[in-house]
Amino acid sequence: MIRINPRITEKLAFAFLFFSTLLILVPVFLILVLIFKDGLPALSWEFLASYPRLGMRAGGIFPALLGTVYLAAGTLVFSLPIGILGAIYLSEYAKDHGFKRVVEVAIINLAGVPSVVYGLFGLGLFVIFLKFGASLLAGSLTLGIMSLPVIITSTREALGTVPKSFREVSLALGATKWQTIRRAVLPNALPGILTGTILALSRAAGETAPILFTVAAFYLPKLPQSIFDQAMALPYHLYVISTQVPNVKLSIQYGTALVLILLVLAMNIVAIVIRARFRKRKLW
Amino acid sequence: MVTPEMKICRPKVTVKDLSVSYGRLESLRHVSFEVNEFEILGVIGPAASGKTSLLRTFNRLNDENPAFQKTGKILLDGVDIYEKMDLPTLRKKIGMIFALPAPLPLSIFDNIAYGPRLHNVWKTSELEAIVEKSLRAAFLWEEVKDRLKTPAMKLSGGQQQRLCIARSLAVEPEVILFDEPCSGLDPIATAHVEEAMQELKAKYTIILVTNNTKQAARVSDRTAFFLMGELVEIDRTQKIFTVPQDKRTEDYISGRFG
């Protein structure tokens, strides 16, 4: 066996580890640079606030942007209550029996389902079987189901970080289990829950496959009037103007991508700020 | 001066043939004794003797542990606490102070008001009165009266523990369980907490679990010595510490093991 001087192996190890870390940064950096370089010139108030014109070869992205905001809001409405309540049940109430394990395995599997399968499922259940048609409702429900595993998992993690002593103190003062969860546990888990929820939403906002068959419209001359209307959405719009419509200016394509990525980044930054604020405040 | 002998001894808590186990782990074996009203009962014994388990059986915090099993009875004023009382009522009557000070991440005021609010006291004037009364009884009022809105976590360890005492007083318990309340405190803070306990026994029945035999000697009227889940001896504190009946008690209090 060859013996290498430990000082050399130490340097080698450091070099490899550092290089690998650097590799993580490269794609993020390149994506941002490329999109900013070609997209930034297109970005203007008018681009954000006006309708597409000339067969989407000119004008802005307002309906798509608004559609994505609607979808994110709809996703929140459907996934947040169910996710939080389900997570509370699993973490605080469910006994460690078969049923709980089945649900836990189901959640893990739900998280692993490819997004295009969610799209087909949404098409089958909401659009066709429940006759919602391609609509904001069907799209929000589909994205909501896709977001559930992340929200449930992050809520359970947040509940788990609340010290056991808070619960015992509350119970020892004569609180019921629900009073304890409501007053001693949830307020202290809320920042973690919010962080996880925003991250799940930012992912939902950027997804294309689940909305493809359930809500997204190629082009609509007017905004959706109710939850039963179709809507345009940023990720699908980007796909359309990049591959389906010929001769779209590069700046419009990259401008759209830039808006999408900024939207998602902004949501992630909000999540990071909430987390950082909470860390500063928390004293246990 | 009222000495323990002069008091009319009325049993407040009666333990009848109590055995506790967690799965296969036996924690208490066939324990029977009484706690008299308005006394401080010190409970001493080495680690794993079942002291803390005993306390958590009194206010049924053990119910949270799915592996918990018990046989035998615990009566509060003659009423079986496992058969005839719902949990909130029981825990309101039997308060508990934990080993580590455990303020909630709320203001001093809201910590004390937490219990009363659970039991539907919402009027600010009422809450203010309860908070002041409880803090005074726990000897903390003078130190915090000007900063009731500051976070309780900012108080020192000894102040936090007295805050926890005040918090359990705010729901007007009848019995207070102290689970090694001074294990994390310095001697001065310990003296403050002990002083509070001495005053409290005029109105409350106190069960004090402690690792510190000297504390039991200083504070309690009667002392119970537990060893490996069995009650070895229970008697007036003075007697336990001067003429113990059992060799094991003598060995423990004289520091031969523990």
Side-chain angles (χ1 to χ4, degrees):
Chain A
M1 205 181 131
I2 314 162
R3 285 178 182 276
I4 306 171
N5 186 335
R7 256 174 295 168
I8 295 173
T9 54
E10 169 63 24
K11 276 190 182 140
L12 273 175
F14 174 80
F16 272 114
L17 297 173
F18 182 73
F19 182 68
S20 305
T21 314
L22 211 60
L23 278 185
I24 302 170
L25 280 178
V26 171
V28 179
F29 182 73
L30 283 181
I31 289 173
L32 286 177
V33 165
L34 274 174
I35 291 178
F36 265 92
K37 184 172 77 70
D38 290 323
L40 207 54
L43 216 56
S44 67
W45 179 245
E46 169 147 22
F47 184 67
L48 294 177
S50 64
Y51 284 61
R53 279 180 286 114
L54 305 176
M56 292 185 272
R57 289 182 189 84
I61 55 165
F62 180 66
L65 183 57
L66 190 72
T68 287
V69 171
Y70 280 163
L71 279 174
T75 306
L76 186 72
V77 167
F78 291 124
S79 59
L80 192 63
I82 296 177
I84 291 183
L85 297 178
I88 291 174
Y89 177 78
L90 286 175
S91 288
E92 308 282 332
Y93 281 91
K95 300 221 164 63
D96 213 6
H97 287 323
F99 174 68
K100 182 177 168 182
R101 302 224 180 104
V102 169
V103 176
E104 280 170 348
V105 171
I107 291 167
I108 293 169
N109 280 308
L110 210 55
V113 172
S115 56
V116 67
V117 177
Y118 279 110
L120 280 172
F121 167 77
L123 174 69
L125 180 65
F126 301 125
V127 178
I128 298 169
F129 183 73
L130 292 174
K131 299 194 172 70
F132 294 155
S135 59
L136 279 172
L137 180 63
S140 301
L141 282 166
T142 309
L143 287 173
I145 292 174
M146 194 193 77
S147 306
L148 269 183
V150 182
I151 292 180
I152 291 175
T153 309
S154 56
T155 301
R156 292 191 66 183
E157 270 168 24
L159 292 172
T161 59
V162 178
K164 200 175 156 209
S165 65
F166 291 7
R167 291 162 224 257
E168 294 199 327
V169 160
S170 175
L171 292 172
L173 287 166
T176 61
K177 198 160 191 164
W178 176 244
Q179 282 177 318
T180 297
I181 292 168
R182 172 73 193 69
R183 302 183 194 192
V185 180
L186 268 187
N188 298 300
L190 208 55
I193 296 173
L194 280 181
T195 308
T197 305
I198 294 171
L199 293 180
L201 280 189
S202 80
R203 226 202 101 195
E207 278 288 352
T208 314
I211 58 171
L212 196 57
F213 319 118
T214 53
V215 51
F218 191 85
Y219 174 75
L220 286 174
K222 62 177 182 131
L223 298 176
Q225 302 299 307
S226 81
I227 55 169
F228 295 104
D229 285 351
Q230 270 192 291
M232 295 175 73
L234 270 183
Y236 184 60
H237 183 65
L238 179 60
Y239 166 75
V240 165
I241 58 173
S242 309
T243 62
Q244 306 297 303
V245 182
N247 303 325
V248 178
K249 266 190 293 179
L250 206 63
S251 67
I252 291 187
Q253 293 169 352
Y254 276 89
T256 307
L258 182 61
V259 172
L260 182 58
I261 219 170
L262 286 179
L263 191 74
V264 171
L265 272 183
M267 290 170 88
N268 290 1
I269 286 170
V270 170
I272 291 167
V273 168
I274 291 177
R275 199 184 306 180
R277 276 234 179 130
F278 184 62
R279 244 186 230 146
K280 229 194 271 171
R281 197 165 58 88
K282 110 173 175 183
L283 284 153
W284 67 86
Chain B
M1 171 94 187
V2 181
T3 61
E5 294 93 311
M6 286 159 66
K7 267 194 218 163
I8 307 153
C9 291
R10 193 179 81 86
K12 181 74 183 172
V13 182
T14 310
V15 180
K16 279 187 184 165
D17 195 31
L18 178 73
S19 297
V20 168
S21 62
Y22 305 93
R24 290 167 129 191
L25 182 79
E26 268 194 316
S27 173
L28 288 169
R29 264 185 297 233
H30 303 292
V31 172
S32 298
F33 64 97
E34 288 175 346
V35 189
N36 296 322
E37 193 166 33
F38 306 128
E39 77 167 347
I40 299 183
L41 176 72
V43 177
I44 57 171
S49 57
K51 307 180 304 267
T52 297
S53 187
L54 180 75
L55 283 197
R56 296 172 72 90
T57 310
F58 280 148
N59 72 349
R60 294 183 60 182
L61 262 190
N62 271 335
D63 288 23
E64 301 299 311
N65 184 339
F68 167 74
Q69 281 177 311
K70 73 129 185 72
T71 58
K73 281 183 176 166
I74 299 177
L75 310 178
L76 176 67
D77 291 325
V79 180
D80 189 322
I81 65 165
Y82 276 83
E83 303 290 331
K84 296 255 159 66
M85 230 181 261
D86 66 295
L87 279 176
T89 312
L90 167 74
R91 288 173 179 160
K92 192 170 175 288
K93 285 185 177 180
I94 302 189
M96 185 166 188
I97 312 296
F98 294 85
L100 292 174
L104 293 167
L106 303 167
S107 70
I108 295 171
F109 186 94
D110 289 335
N111 258 280
I112 313 286
Y114 187 91
R117 280 175 179 149
L118 291 174
H119 306 291
N120 282 320
V121 179
W122 290 105
K123 261 170 73 183
T124 313
S125 57
E126 255 176 89
L127 285 173
E128 277 169 353
I130 292 173
V131 168
E132 176 171 349
K133 193 173 141 211
S134 308
L135 283 170
R136 279 187 193 281
F139 292 95
L140 192 58
W141 175 251
E142 292 302 325
E143 291 162 56
V144 301
K145 63 181 176 189
D146 301 320
R147 46 176 177 140
L148 293 175
K149 297 284 168 212
T150 54
M153 299 262 187
K154 293 237 163 94
L155 296 172
S156 73
Q159 289 173 325
Q160 287 187 8
Q161 198 57 302
R162 277 177 285 149
L163 176 90
C164 293
I165 295 175
R167 188 174 55 191
S168 29
L169 296 182
V171 295
E172 296 176 341
E174 294 165 18
V175 179
I176 307 176
L177 313 170
F178 286 84
D179 185 9
E180 300 172 26
C182 303
S183 52
L185 303 183
D186 65 59
I188 293 169
T190 301
H192 282 308
V193 172
E194 288 179 2
E195 183 192 11
M197 274 190 261
Q198 290 289 8
E199 294 292 323
L200 291 175
K201 74 169 181 178
K203 287 169 74 183
Y204 306 93
T205 304
I206 291 175
I207 304 173
L208 166 67
V209 159
T210 177
N211 268 330
N212 179 345
T213 46
K214 286 189 188 128
Q215 181 170 53
R218 279 195 302 267
V219 182
S220 61
D221 302 308
R222 290 195 309 148
T223 297
F225 173 58
F226 279 78
L227 186 62
M228 314 219 354
E230 280 172 41
L231 174 59
V232 176
E233 196 170 348
I234 177 168
D235 212 327
R236 283 189 294 114
T237 298
Q238 206 189 358
K239 229 175 141 194
I240 288 271
F241 282 90
T242 51
V243 279
Q245 300 298 300
D246 196 291
K247 177 84 174 59
R248 291 170 293 175
T249 316
E250 192 184 339
D251 287 350
Y252 181 69
I253 59 175
S254 58
R256 249 165 261 170
F257 72 96

